Amino acid sequence: AQSVTQLGSHVSVSEGALVLLRCNYSSSVPPYLFWYVQYPNQGLQLLLKYTTGATLVKGINGFEAEFKKSETSFHLTKPSAHMSDAAEYFCAVVGGFKTIFGAGTRLFVKA
Amino acid sequence: DAGVIQSPRHEVTEMGQEVTLRCKPISGHNSLFWYRQTMMRGLELLIYFNNNVPIDDSGMPEDRFSAKMPNASFSTLKIQPSEPRDSAVYFCASSFGTGTKQHNEQFFGPGTRLTVL
């Protein structure tokens, strides 16, 4: 069975600071991993995904994530936060036909 | 492409009334998902269709909830009778998957915010 744990329901950073959102997964098969972002009053949209190949994945808006099998992690990072990054972020793992979403991490960006 | 279309965007109804939420997936996608999002429970998968056939409805809360997909371009989620605890944002998402593999991203609609008084 697959599962996802996002560490920290809320993360607050200053504008220009590093963003680090943590995600750990559990999977009995090679995982397919996703990060989605949800802006207020909108649906989720894909930031980036890992399927196979290169373990460092680049996404939209300057975000990237690294798949670390030994640590069962897929943390999301961005070198410099922008006010427009304030949103909720969801890590997800594919298990067969189901996508298992984490509980979400709300990112606050302070001016 | 217009993306996943949901209607209505907002619905306010009284307890006991029937509610029907509608979804038009992206053309060419063969998988459709209904989710419910609340502060308390987060994002929950209610039901999943593949090629218009319900594959897994284990997330449907109870018999008051039903979903249909009569064709590849339309799906409904119905609640009858509605209760205040059904108040939530309901999302429809679609993707293209082959068989039991869903490696591709899901495209979400804007959601329907349901309030049951």
Side-chain angles (χ1 to χ4, degrees), chain A residues 34 36 38 96-99, chain B residues 37 56 100 102-103 105-106:
Chain A
F34 300 77
Y36 286 81
Q38 184 180 28
F97 58 80
K98 274 187 177 179
T99 298
Chain B
Q37 186 177 41
D56 182 10
T100 59
Q102 289 294 333
H103 304 160
E105 69 176 289
Q106 293 184 22

Side-chain angles (χ1 to χ4, degrees), chain B residues 1 4 25-32 50-52 69 72-73 93-97 104-107:
Chain B
D1 197 320
V4 175
I26 291 173
S27 176
H29 284 185
N30 63 350
S31 298
L32 184 139
N50 184 251
N51 293 324
N52 311 336
M69 192 164 186
S73 59
S94 71
S95 71
F96 181 78
N104 295 323
E105 69 176 289
Q106 293 184 22
F107 292 80

Side-chain angles (χ1 to χ4, degrees), chain B:
Chain B
D1 197 320
V4 175
I5 299 172
Q6 291 187 249
S7 65
R9 291 294 310 276
H10 302 273
E11 177 81 29
V12 180
T13 190
E14 292 189 347
M15 183 174 63
Q17 296 299 305
E18 177 181 295
V19 174
T20 299
L21 310 182
R22 297 173 176 79
C23 175
K24 176 179 170 55
I26 291 173
S27 176
H29 284 185
N30 63 350
S31 298
L32 184 139
F33 307 81
W34 282 101
Y35 292 91
R36 178 172 67 177
Q37 186 177 41
T38 61
M39 290 291 292
M40 291 297 294
R41 301 174 68 94
L43 192 66
E44 303 173 274
L45 176 64
L46 300 178
I47 188 169
Y48 156 62
F49 292 88
N50 184 251
N51 293 324
N52 311 336
V53 176
I55 303 300
D56 182 10
D57 65 355
S58 60
M60 297 286 262
E62 47 199 274
D63 292 345
R64 297 184 297 106
F65 285 70
S66 62
K68 294 181 179 180
M69 192 164 186
N71 57 62
S73 59
F74 184 66
S75 177
T76 60
L77 178 67
K78 185 177 295 187
I79 308 172
Q80 167 62 18
S82 58
E83 296 183 4
R85 60 193 168 119
D86 301 331
S87 297
V89 181
Y90 291 81
F91 289 103
C92 176
S94 71
S95 71
F96 181 78
T98 54
T100 59
K101 298 187 184 299
Q102 289 294 333
H103 304 160
N104 295 323
E105 69 176 289
Q106 293 184 22
F107 292 80
F108 283 73
T112 295
R113 183 174 296 275
L114 174 64
T115 303
V116 183
L117 304 175

